[in-house]
Amino acid sequence: MSNPSLLILPGDGIGPEVMAEVRKVIDWFGANRGLTFDVDEDLVGGCAYDAHGTPLTDATMEKAQAVDAVLLGAVGGPKYDSLDFSVKPERGLLRLRKEMDLYANLRPAQCFDALADFSSLKHDVVAGLDIMIVRELTSGVYFGEPRGIVREGNERVGINTQRYTESEIARVARAAFELARKRDNRVCSMEKANVMESGVLWRDVVQEVHDAEYPDVELSHMYADAGAMQLTRWPKQFDVIVTDNLFGDLLSDLAAMLTGSLGMLPSASLGAPMANGRPKALYEPVHGSAPDIAGQGKANPCACILSFAMALRYSFDLGEEATRLEQAVQKVLADGVRTADLMQSEAGATPATTAQMGDAVIAALQASQA
Ligand code: NAD
């Protein structure tokens, strides 16, 4: 059997800095856990535009389609702000998502105990939190037709259309149920079935998929506005939340901030299974290219490292190794190692650099072997 394959796209700004630390982690798993990946690296975003005049070449797109998983750093930066929309760095990322048909966006909201005080909510409400938001990513109101701004009589009218087919709902529901089976086996589906027909269909289809294929998973339904309230009141009541593109956009940002820091948040975007059974997959930190700190060794690499942990779990079915890596990050935080973004007012304390944080994770991985 050939080694599992990875395409690494570090991108712009702090992307290459945090990805360098992920490379250390990948090498560690190769040297110590017998997990050797075939790793290729390429350009995406502004750096691809600089080299090729496009934020993603066809050749890179082909590589992304062929590998088991893509790992992306971040794209964008002020240098590219004045570019035409069609060649902006973000277009590279959007092309990857669209052509790989990555319809399920997984955003974990996990609160490491050592960082519970970073949340704006009370310690007890968030300490130990571990929930997963599954957001439909390729349909719904951001894509539905008709759309536009038209003139009606004396005024303009803005139009967007919420549209979901049964199959679009069913496939993201399946992704959520499959995930729940690897976690606490509970799914809460959120929509607005009280006021939207697409919400009624969403609720029906999620229930049908559940009854036919996943009766062992506990399923509940909640209106998305009530869900937002419950997420801030007592988020630990949830395990997996599945919701549409628009509500997922809002609810995943809300859930993410329960945990405090942008530098700690990983994500995965998954599509249909490939011939080898693995899903099409793109893993990336939630944060952007952070131009304000790029090139200074200040970036927190944990979000990107934890994105690789998600790849281990969801692309390669290596849940134990993913847990090993997540626990290594947890240990580093518990030991008090902090990049600047994770420091509140520790007077006189020197923040760890990006590389020091990565090295501390490697040391914790090494200790996990003992
Ligand atoms: P950002 O996430 O890059 O930064 C927001 C703030 O968080 C900044 O102060 C930054 O220093 C800090 N931050 C972010 N990641 C950090 C990390 N790992 N460690 C420590 N601090 C971190 O968002 P922004 O400033 O709105 O956008 C900057 C650029 O990134 C823009 O060009 C934007 O379009 C792009 N962007 C890209 C993505 C992506 O690639 N997926 C996502 C969001 C924004």
Side-chain angles (χ1 to χ4, degrees):
M1 277 231 327
S2 57
N3 294 327
S5 55
L6 284 174
L7 175 64
I8 292 191
L9 302 172
D12 307 317
I14 62 168
E17 298 171 52
V18 294
M19 198 59 87
E21 303 313 306
V22 178
R23 290 299 286 254
K24 290 181 189 167
V25 171
I26 294 171
D27 291 347
W28 184 89
F29 275 96
N32 295 277
R33 303 297 303 165
L35 293 174
T36 306
F37 293 91
D38 290 337
V39 181
D40 193 1
E41 189 167 316
D42 213 329
L43 303 176
V44 68
C47 58
Y49 176 80
D50 288 340
H52 304 296
T54 169
L56 189 78
T57 63
D58 292 344
T60 311
M61 189 65 237
E62 268 174 40
K63 284 186 198 174
Q65 294 283 21
V67 290
D68 292 318
V70 179
L71 217 55
L72 188 137
V75 297
K79 181 179 165 192
Y80 308 103
D81 281 352
S82 56
L83 287 182
D84 184 74
F85 191 66
S86 62
V87 288
K88 272 196 187 296
E90 291 75 9
R91 299 299 293 178
L93 183 51
L94 292 177
R95 182 175 177 199
L96 282 166
R97 287 180 183 155
K98 184 162 186 283
E99 294 192 17
M100 293 170 76
D101 198 12
L102 303 172
Y103 55 80
N105 182 223
L106 278 51
R107 293 267 300 260
Q110 200 176 10
C111 185
F112 294 96
D113 284 351
L115 299 180
D117 289 333
F118 267 80
S119 174
S120 49
L121 298 188
K122 292 194 190 96
H123 188 282
D124 277 1
V125 177
V126 292
L129 178 72
D130 181 9
I131 61 179
M132 177 75 79
I133 309 253
V134 180
R135 165 189 172 194
E136 200 290 324
L137 199 59
T138 51
S139 184
V141 75
Y142 294 160
F143 295 93
E145 299 282 347
R147 62 185 298 160
I149 300 176
V150 297
R151 187 157 276 284
E152 278 183 15
N154 289 334
E155 61 177 354
R156 291 170 300 160
V157 181
I159 301 169
N160 290 94
T161 304
Q162 167 87 331
R163 183 178 190 280
Y164 270 109
T165 63
E166 285 185 278
S167 54
E168 286 168 342
I169 301 168
R171 66 183 186 172
V172 74
R174 281 191 193 98
F177 288 126
E178 292 288 340
L179 269 172
R181 279 184 174 163
K182 291 183 180 171
R183 297 170 46 96
D184 201 30
N185 218 30
R186 293 181 294 124
V187 170
C188 180
S189 170
M190 295 188 186
E191 28 55 21
K192 288 281 288 175
N194 50 342
V195 286
M196 295 170 76
E197 284 75 7
S198 59
V200 174
L201 184 71
W202 182 280
R203 186 175 284 223
D204 286 352
V205 172
V206 172
Q207 189 68 49
E208 287 161 15
V209 170
H210 169 268
D211 296 350
E213 300 169 43
Y214 300 91
D216 54 302
V217 180
E218 187 184 314
L219 171 66
S220 58
H221 302 273
M222 200 177 272
Y223 297 138
D225 50 344
M229 280 197 278
Q230 291 300 328
L231 267 172
T232 44
R233 190 187 69 82
W234 189 243
K236 288 185 211 170
Q237 68 186 281
F238 298 111
D239 178 27
V240 175
I241 292 172
V242 63
T243 189
D244 74 14
N245 202 342
L246 173 62
F247 297 137
D249 197 359
L250 307 180
L251 294 172
S252 63
D253 270 11
L254 189 160
M257 274 304 108
L258 300 176
T259 68
S261 170
L262 203 49
M264 295 298 302
L265 296 169
S267 80
S269 300
L270 306 181
M274 299 183 281
N276 62 9
R278 292 178 176 139
K280 289 260 178 200
L282 171 76
Y283 299 89
E284 55 180 323
V286 168
H287 63 71
S289 58
D292 53 332
I293 57 166
Q296 301 171 38
K298 288 182 180 170
N300 181 353
C302 288
C304 205
I305 290 173
L306 292 169
S307 299
F308 178 62
M310 291 188 82
L312 290 174
R313 180 171 286 118
Y314 298 118
S315 280
F316 304 114
D317 229 352
L318 294 166
E320 276 183 30
E321 301 301 337
T323 303
R324 177 187 296 276
L325 181 51
E326 286 159 357
Q327 286 178 347
V329 171
Q330 196 147 11
K331 178 173 186 309
V332 166
L333 298 172
D335 288 349
V337 185
R338 299 270 190 281
T339 40
D341 57 307
L342 302 179
M343 298 178 84
Q344 275 166 327
S345 59
E346 292 91 338
T350 311
T353 63
T354 308
Q356 284 167 343
M357 194 74 167
D359 291 343
V361 173
I362 297 295
L365 281 170
Q366 201 60 39
S368 77
Q369 295 260 86

